[in-house]
Amino acid sequence: MHKKNIKKTFLIFVIFLFAISIGYSALYEKISLNATAGLKTNRANNDYNLEYKLTSWNSGKYEYQFNPISLTYTGKENVNTWEIIIEVPDDSTISACWNVKCIMKNGKLIIRNDRNNATIKPNTTLTNFGFQISTAMANYELNVEDVNFYTPSNPNPNEQIITDNISVEYSNRGGWQSGEKYVSQIYIDIKNNTNVDFSYWELIIKRPPNSSIKSLWGASFVEKDDTIIITGENGNNSFYSSNSKSIGMQIEVEDANTQLVTLKVFGKGIVE
């Protein structure tokens, strides 16, 4: 009788160990499935290097967190804006986004620069941005379809020219006589009243007859024929929604009462 109890106890113990091993195996499989996600980069564009840290877990769906991501730009021209396009599972939703704008469109995750990291100089690395997506699919390798860098010579084809809701005000702060001419000190306030962040903007002013700009600060300018073209300072052409630009100039004119006239003001940006 005692031997039968020992055998019975041993059999229960073996069944218990078997159940634990099955449970552990299932748990290990779930963890290992999470761990196989990654980003596959398209090397057709050789102007970048992409590195990331991946954390993943299962909470009913698989959560894949790519954070932080480091993007190194190795091109030769200053970048105004940039975006990363990633193919993701069809059922994917955005769980979180850090220091970038994330948009899900046609089965693709589009990551666009934020205001604080729009411009990139050659051989510069952007860090501390990332994203997290949720999907029912495991063992999925996210494909980086493209990394686009938009520069003055390669503008974003999806941007539109916007001329409405941009205000320009001129304020004459006096001046002084300079020989037969007068030097006026004029301040210009431009406000982007739209809901679009501009990657480029331009103000075109009618040039007063026989005038010449002596100095201008807060922007860059070109005097061309009968116009003055003003745009971003030192290649920094970003102009964000609801923000203002303050520009000052000293311009030599024939008449102290000369008023500047706006011919055109516009910005370029993506209208969502």
Side-chain angles (χ1 to χ4, degrees), residues 22-66:
I22 291 175
Y24 176 80
S25 176
L27 178 62
Y28 177 78
E29 182 182 14
K30 185 176 290 186
I31 293 173
S32 64
L33 283 174
N34 281 336
T36 58
L39 287 175
K40 179 183 178 183
T41 57
N42 174 9
R43 300 313 302 172
N45 180 349
N46 292 315
D47 287 344
Y48 75 92
N49 184 50
L50 199 62
E51 297 181 354
Y52 60 90
K53 176 185 177 182
L54 169 64
T55 306
S56 57
W57 63 92
N58 190 317
S59 58
K61 281 191 172 184
Y62 294 96
E63 296 286 337
Y64 298 116
Q65 183 181 110
F66 294 85

Short mmCIF file of all heavy atoms in Angstrom, two decimals, residues 22-66:
data_model
loop_
_atom_site.label_atom_id
_atom_site.label_comp_id
_atom_site.label_asym_id
_atom_site.label_seq_id
_atom_site.Cartn_x
_atom_site.Cartn_y
_atom_site.Cartn_z
N ILE A 22 5.47 22.85 -20.36
CA ILE A 22 4.64 23.32 -21.47
C ILE A 22 4.35 24.81 -21.31
O ILE A 22 4.44 25.58 -22.25
CB ILE A 22 3.31 22.52 -21.54
CG1 ILE A 22 3.60 21.08 -21.97
CG2 ILE A 22 2.33 23.18 -22.50
CD1 ILE A 22 2.38 20.20 -21.96
N GLY A 23 4.01 25.21 -20.08
CA GLY A 23 3.73 26.62 -19.81
C GLY A 23 4.95 27.48 -20.07
O GLY A 23 4.86 28.55 -20.67
N TYR A 24 6.11 27.03 -19.62
CA TYR A 24 7.33 27.79 -19.84
C TYR A 24 7.66 27.91 -21.32
O TYR A 24 8.06 28.95 -21.82
CB TYR A 24 8.49 27.11 -19.10
CG TYR A 24 9.82 27.79 -19.34
CD1 TYR A 24 10.15 28.94 -18.64
CD2 TYR A 24 10.71 27.28 -20.28
CE1 TYR A 24 11.36 29.57 -18.86
CE2 TYR A 24 11.92 27.91 -20.51
CZ TYR A 24 12.23 29.05 -19.80
OH TYR A 24 13.42 29.67 -20.03
N SER A 25 7.45 26.77 -22.04
CA SER A 25 7.70 26.77 -23.47
C SER A 25 6.81 27.78 -24.18
O SER A 25 7.26 28.52 -25.06
CB SER A 25 7.47 25.38 -24.04
OG SER A 25 7.63 25.38 -25.45
N ALA A 26 5.54 27.82 -23.81
CA ALA A 26 4.60 28.76 -24.43
C ALA A 26 5.00 30.19 -24.13
O ALA A 26 4.97 31.06 -25.00
CB ALA A 26 3.18 28.48 -23.94
N LEU A 27 5.40 30.44 -22.87
CA LEU A 27 5.82 31.77 -22.47
C LEU A 27 7.08 32.18 -23.23
O LEU A 27 7.18 33.30 -23.73
CB LEU A 27 6.07 31.81 -20.96
CG LEU A 27 6.57 33.15 -20.40
CD1 LEU A 27 5.53 34.24 -20.63
CD2 LEU A 27 6.88 33.02 -18.92
N TYR A 28 8.00 31.27 -23.35
CA TYR A 28 9.25 31.57 -24.04
C TYR A 28 8.99 31.88 -25.51
O TYR A 28 9.55 32.80 -26.09
CB TYR A 28 10.21 30.39 -23.92
CG TYR A 28 11.49 30.61 -24.69
CD1 TYR A 28 12.50 31.43 -24.16
CD2 TYR A 28 11.69 30.05 -25.95
CE1 TYR A 28 13.65 31.66 -24.87
CE2 TYR A 28 12.84 30.27 -26.66
CZ TYR A 28 13.82 31.08 -26.11
OH TYR A 28 14.97 31.31 -26.81
N GLU A 29 8.05 31.13 -26.11
CA GLU A 29 7.72 31.36 -27.51
C GLU A 29 7.13 32.77 -27.68
O GLU A 29 7.46 33.48 -28.62
CB GLU A 29 6.71 30.32 -28.00
CG GLU A 29 6.36 30.49 -29.48
CD GLU A 29 5.33 29.48 -29.94
OE1 GLU A 29 4.71 28.85 -29.08
OE2 GLU A 29 5.16 29.35 -31.15
N LYS A 30 6.28 33.19 -26.76
CA LYS A 30 5.65 34.51 -26.85
C LYS A 30 6.71 35.60 -26.74
O LYS A 30 6.71 36.57 -27.49
CB LYS A 30 4.62 34.65 -25.74
CG LYS A 30 3.81 35.94 -25.82
CD LYS A 30 2.73 35.99 -24.76
CE LYS A 30 1.64 34.97 -25.06
NZ LYS A 30 0.51 35.10 -24.10
N ILE A 31 7.66 35.42 -25.83
CA ILE A 31 8.72 36.40 -25.66
C ILE A 31 9.62 36.43 -26.88
O ILE A 31 9.97 37.48 -27.40
CB ILE A 31 9.54 36.10 -24.39
CG1 ILE A 31 8.68 36.29 -23.15
CG2 ILE A 31 10.77 36.99 -24.32
CD1 ILE A 31 9.34 35.85 -21.87
N SER A 32 9.97 35.27 -27.40
CA SER A 32 10.88 35.23 -28.52
C SER A 32 10.24 35.79 -29.78
O SER A 32 10.90 36.39 -30.61
CB SER A 32 11.37 33.79 -28.78
OG SER A 32 10.28 32.96 -29.16
N LEU A 33 8.92 35.61 -29.92
CA LEU A 33 8.22 36.20 -31.07
C LEU A 33 8.32 37.72 -31.01
O LEU A 33 8.53 38.37 -32.03
CB LEU A 33 6.74 35.77 -31.07
CG LEU A 33 6.45 34.35 -31.55
CD1 LEU A 33 4.97 34.05 -31.36
CD2 LEU A 33 6.83 34.16 -33.00
N ASN A 34 8.16 38.27 -29.82
CA ASN A 34 8.27 39.72 -29.67
C ASN A 34 9.66 40.21 -30.06
O ASN A 34 9.82 41.28 -30.61
CB ASN A 34 8.00 40.13 -28.23
CG ASN A 34 6.52 40.14 -27.90
OD1 ASN A 34 5.70 40.29 -28.78
ND2 ASN A 34 6.21 39.98 -26.64
N ALA A 35 10.64 39.43 -29.77
CA ALA A 35 12.02 39.88 -29.91
C ALA A 35 12.52 39.86 -31.34
O ALA A 35 13.61 40.33 -31.61
CB ALA A 35 12.93 39.02 -29.03
N THR A 36 11.73 39.32 -32.28
CA THR A 36 12.24 39.20 -33.64
C THR A 36 11.88 40.39 -34.53
O THR A 36 12.24 40.41 -35.68
CB THR A 36 11.68 37.92 -34.31
OG1 THR A 36 10.26 37.97 -34.29
CG2 THR A 36 12.17 36.69 -33.59
N ALA A 37 11.14 41.37 -34.02
CA ALA A 37 10.81 42.54 -34.84
C ALA A 37 12.06 43.36 -35.11
O ALA A 37 13.02 43.34 -34.35
CB ALA A 37 9.76 43.40 -34.15
N GLY A 38 12.03 44.09 -36.21
CA GLY A 38 13.17 44.93 -36.54
C GLY A 38 12.84 45.87 -37.68
O GLY A 38 11.77 45.81 -38.25
N LEU A 39 13.78 46.75 -37.99
CA LEU A 39 13.64 47.67 -39.12
C LEU A 39 14.61 47.25 -40.21
O LEU A 39 15.81 47.15 -39.98
CB LEU A 39 13.95 49.11 -38.70
CG LEU A 39 12.93 49.85 -37.84
CD1 LEU A 39 13.49 51.21 -37.46
CD2 LEU A 39 11.63 50.01 -38.58
N LYS A 40 14.07 46.98 -41.39
CA LYS A 40 14.90 46.66 -42.54
C LYS A 40 15.03 47.92 -43.39
O LYS A 40 14.04 48.47 -43.86
CB LYS A 40 14.25 45.54 -43.37
CG LYS A 40 15.04 45.15 -44.61
CD LYS A 40 14.29 44.09 -45.39
CE LYS A 40 15.04 43.72 -46.66
NZ LYS A 40 14.29 42.73 -47.46
N THR A 41 16.25 48.41 -43.57
CA THR A 41 16.44 49.67 -44.27
C THR A 41 16.70 49.47 -45.75
O THR A 41 17.31 48.50 -46.17
CB THR A 41 17.63 50.45 -43.66
OG1 THR A 41 18.79 49.63 -43.72
CG2 THR A 41 17.34 50.82 -42.23
N ASN A 42 16.22 50.44 -46.53
CA ASN A 42 16.41 50.45 -47.97
C ASN A 42 17.66 51.27 -48.27
O ASN A 42 17.69 52.47 -48.03
CB ASN A 42 15.17 51.07 -48.64
CG ASN A 42 15.35 51.25 -50.13
OD1 ASN A 42 16.31 50.77 -50.71
ND2 ASN A 42 14.40 51.93 -50.75
N ARG A 43 18.67 50.63 -48.81
CA ARG A 43 19.94 51.33 -49.02
C ARG A 43 20.03 52.02 -50.37
O ARG A 43 21.10 52.40 -50.82
CB ARG A 43 21.11 50.35 -48.88
CG ARG A 43 21.20 49.68 -47.52
CD ARG A 43 21.05 50.62 -46.37
NE ARG A 43 22.03 51.69 -46.37
CZ ARG A 43 22.01 52.71 -45.55
NH1 ARG A 43 21.04 52.84 -44.68
NH2 ARG A 43 22.94 53.63 -45.61
N ALA A 44 18.89 52.20 -51.06
CA ALA A 44 18.91 52.94 -52.32
C ALA A 44 19.33 54.38 -52.07
O ALA A 44 19.98 55.01 -52.90
CB ALA A 44 17.53 52.89 -52.97
N ASN A 45 18.94 54.89 -50.91
CA ASN A 45 19.37 56.24 -50.51
C ASN A 45 20.57 56.07 -49.58
O ASN A 45 20.46 55.56 -48.48
CB ASN A 45 18.22 56.95 -49.79
CG ASN A 45 18.61 58.35 -49.35
OD1 ASN A 45 19.76 58.73 -49.39
ND2 ASN A 45 17.61 59.12 -48.93
N ASN A 46 21.74 56.50 -50.03
CA ASN A 46 22.96 56.30 -49.25
C ASN A 46 23.33 57.51 -48.41
O ASN A 46 24.45 57.60 -47.91
CB ASN A 46 24.12 55.95 -50.20
CG ASN A 46 23.94 54.59 -50.84
OD1 ASN A 46 23.59 53.63 -50.16
ND2 ASN A 46 24.19 54.52 -52.14
N ASP A 47 22.39 58.45 -48.26
CA ASP A 47 22.68 59.68 -47.52
C ASP A 47 22.35 59.58 -46.04
O ASP A 47 22.24 60.60 -45.38
CB ASP A 47 21.91 60.86 -48.14
CG ASP A 47 22.50 61.29 -49.47
OD1 ASP A 47 23.64 60.89 -49.76
OD2 ASP A 47 21.81 62.02 -50.21
N TYR A 48 22.17 58.38 -45.52
CA TYR A 48 21.80 58.29 -44.11
C TYR A 48 22.27 56.98 -43.49
O TYR A 48 22.60 56.01 -44.17
CB TYR A 48 20.28 58.40 -43.95
CG TYR A 48 19.53 57.15 -44.37
CD1 TYR A 48 19.21 56.15 -43.45
CD2 TYR A 48 19.13 56.96 -45.69
CE1 TYR A 48 18.53 55.01 -43.83
CE2 TYR A 48 18.45 55.82 -46.08
CZ TYR A 48 18.15 54.85 -45.14
OH TYR A 48 17.49 53.71 -45.53
N ASN A 49 22.26 56.99 -42.17
CA ASN A 49 22.47 55.77 -41.39
C ASN A 49 21.44 55.77 -40.27
O ASN A 49 21.25 56.78 -39.59
CB ASN A 49 23.88 55.72 -40.82
CG ASN A 49 24.14 54.42 -40.08
OD1 ASN A 49 23.89 53.34 -40.61
ND2 ASN A 49 24.64 54.52 -38.87
N LEU A 50 20.76 54.64 -40.07
CA LEU A 50 19.66 54.57 -39.11
C LEU A 50 19.98 53.52 -38.05
O LEU A 50 20.29 52.37 -38.36
CB LEU A 50 18.38 54.18 -39.85
CG LEU A 50 17.03 54.46 -39.19
CD1 LEU A 50 16.84 55.96 -38.96
CD2 LEU A 50 15.90 53.93 -40.06
N GLU A 51 19.93 53.92 -36.79
CA GLU A 51 20.14 53.00 -35.67
C GLU A 51 19.00 53.17 -34.68
O GLU A 51 18.42 54.25 -34.58
CB GLU A 51 21.49 53.27 -34.99
CG GLU A 51 22.68 53.04 -35.89
CD GLU A 51 24.00 53.31 -35.19
OE1 GLU A 51 23.95 53.78 -34.02
OE2 GLU A 51 25.07 53.06 -35.78
N TYR A 52 18.68 52.10 -33.95
CA TYR A 52 17.53 52.17 -33.04
C TYR A 52 17.67 51.16 -31.91
O TYR A 52 18.44 50.20 -31.99
CB TYR A 52 16.23 51.87 -33.81
CG TYR A 52 16.21 50.50 -34.45
CD1 TYR A 52 15.73 49.40 -33.76
CD2 TYR A 52 16.70 50.32 -35.74
CE1 TYR A 52 15.72 48.14 -34.34
CE2 TYR A 52 16.70 49.07 -36.33
CZ TYR A 52 16.21 47.98 -35.62
OH TYR A 52 16.22 46.73 -36.20
N LYS A 53 16.90 51.40 -30.87
CA LYS A 53 16.75 50.45 -29.77
C LYS A 53 15.32 49.94 -29.80
O LYS A 53 14.37 50.72 -29.86
CB LYS A 53 17.04 51.11 -28.43
CG LYS A 53 16.81 50.18 -27.23
CD LYS A 53 17.00 50.92 -25.92
CE LYS A 53 16.71 50.00 -24.73
NZ LYS A 53 16.85 50.71 -23.44
N LEU A 54 15.16 48.61 -29.78
CA LEU A 54 13.83 48.00 -29.84
C LEU A 54 13.46 47.38 -28.50
O LEU A 54 14.23 46.63 -27.91
CB LEU A 54 13.79 46.92 -30.93
CG LEU A 54 12.54 46.02 -30.95
CD1 LEU A 54 11.29 46.83 -31.27
CD2 LEU A 54 12.71 44.89 -31.96
N THR A 55 12.27 47.72 -28.03
CA THR A 55 11.67 47.07 -26.87
C THR A 55 10.30 46.56 -27.29
O THR A 55 9.57 47.28 -27.98
CB THR A 55 11.50 48.06 -25.70
OG1 THR A 55 12.75 48.67 -25.42
CG2 THR A 55 10.99 47.34 -24.46
N SER A 56 9.94 45.33 -26.91
CA SER A 56 8.66 44.77 -27.35
C SER A 56 8.04 43.92 -26.26
O SER A 56 8.73 43.37 -25.40
CB SER A 56 8.86 43.94 -28.63
OG SER A 56 9.80 42.92 -28.41
N TRP A 57 6.70 43.83 -26.30
CA TRP A 57 5.97 43.01 -25.34
C TRP A 57 4.59 42.70 -25.91
O TRP A 57 4.16 43.29 -26.90
CB TRP A 57 5.87 43.72 -23.99
CG TRP A 57 5.11 45.01 -24.02
CD1 TRP A 57 3.79 45.20 -23.77
CD2 TRP A 57 5.64 46.32 -24.33
NE1 TRP A 57 3.44 46.53 -23.89
CE2 TRP A 57 4.56 47.23 -24.25
CE3 TRP A 57 6.90 46.79 -24.68
CZ2 TRP A 57 4.72 48.59 -24.49
CZ3 TRP A 57 7.06 48.14 -24.93
CH2 TRP A 57 5.98 49.01 -24.82
N ASN A 58 3.91 41.79 -25.24
CA ASN A 58 2.56 41.39 -25.67
C ASN A 58 1.57 41.79 -24.59
O ASN A 58 1.68 41.38 -23.44
CB ASN A 58 2.51 39.88 -25.90
CG ASN A 58 1.22 39.45 -26.57
OD1 ASN A 58 0.14 39.91 -26.22
ND2 ASN A 58 1.32 38.55 -27.54
N SER A 59 0.59 42.61 -24.99
CA SER A 59 -0.46 43.02 -24.05
C SER A 59 -1.83 42.82 -24.70
O SER A 59 -2.67 43.70 -24.71
CB SER A 59 -0.27 44.49 -23.67
OG SER A 59 -0.30 45.31 -24.81
N GLY A 60 -2.01 41.64 -25.28
CA GLY A 60 -3.20 41.38 -26.08
C GLY A 60 -2.85 41.51 -27.55
O GLY A 60 -3.21 40.70 -28.38
N LYS A 61 -2.12 42.58 -27.87
CA LYS A 61 -1.48 42.76 -29.17
C LYS A 61 0.01 42.92 -28.95
O LYS A 61 0.47 43.14 -27.83
CB LYS A 61 -2.05 43.99 -29.90
CG LYS A 61 -3.40 43.76 -30.56
CD LYS A 61 -3.73 44.93 -31.48
CE LYS A 61 -4.97 44.62 -32.29
NZ LYS A 61 -5.26 45.72 -33.27
N TYR A 62 0.77 42.81 -30.02
CA TYR A 62 2.20 42.99 -29.91
C TYR A 62 2.53 44.49 -29.98
O TYR A 62 2.09 45.19 -30.89
CB TYR A 62 2.94 42.25 -31.03
CG TYR A 62 2.79 40.75 -30.92
CD1 TYR A 62 1.80 40.08 -31.64
CD2 TYR A 62 3.62 40.01 -30.08
CE1 TYR A 62 1.66 38.70 -31.53
CE2 TYR A 62 3.49 38.64 -29.97
CZ TYR A 62 2.50 37.99 -30.69
OH TYR A 62 2.36 36.63 -30.59
N GLU A 63 3.28 44.96 -29.01
CA GLU A 63 3.72 46.35 -28.98
C GLU A 63 5.20 46.41 -29.34
O GLU A 63 6.02 45.72 -28.72
CB GLU A 63 3.51 46.95 -27.58
CG GLU A 63 2.07 47.04 -27.14
CD GLU A 63 1.30 48.15 -27.85
OE1 GLU A 63 1.95 49.11 -28.33
OE2 GLU A 63 0.06 48.06 -27.91
N TYR A 64 5.52 47.19 -30.36
CA TYR A 64 6.91 47.35 -30.80
C TYR A 64 7.31 48.81 -30.61
O TYR A 64 6.76 49.71 -31.25
CB TYR A 64 7.06 46.94 -32.26
CG TYR A 64 6.72 45.50 -32.53
CD1 TYR A 64 5.65 45.15 -33.34
CD2 TYR A 64 7.48 44.48 -31.95
CE1 TYR A 64 5.33 43.83 -33.58
CE2 TYR A 64 7.16 43.15 -32.19
CZ TYR A 64 6.09 42.82 -33.01
OH TYR A 64 5.78 41.51 -33.23
N GLN A 65 8.25 49.03 -29.73
CA GLN A 65 8.70 50.39 -29.43
C GLN A 65 10.13 50.57 -29.96
O GLN A 65 11.06 49.91 -29.53
CB GLN A 65 8.67 50.64 -27.93
CG GLN A 65 9.05 52.06 -27.55
CD GLN A 65 9.03 52.27 -26.05
OE1 GLN A 65 10.07 52.42 -25.42
NE2 GLN A 65 7.83 52.27 -25.46
N PHE A 66 10.25 51.48 -30.93
CA PHE A 66 11.56 51.83 -31.47
C PHE A 66 11.94 53.19 -30.89
O PHE A 66 11.54 54.24 -31.39
CB PHE A 66 11.50 51.89 -33.00
CG PHE A 66 11.25 50.56 -33.65
CD1 PHE A 66 9.95 50.08 -33.82
CD2 PHE A 66 12.30 49.76 -34.09
CE1 PHE A 66 9.71 48.85 -34.41
CE2 PHE A 66 12.07 48.53 -34.68
CZ PHE A 66 10.76 48.07 -34.85
#
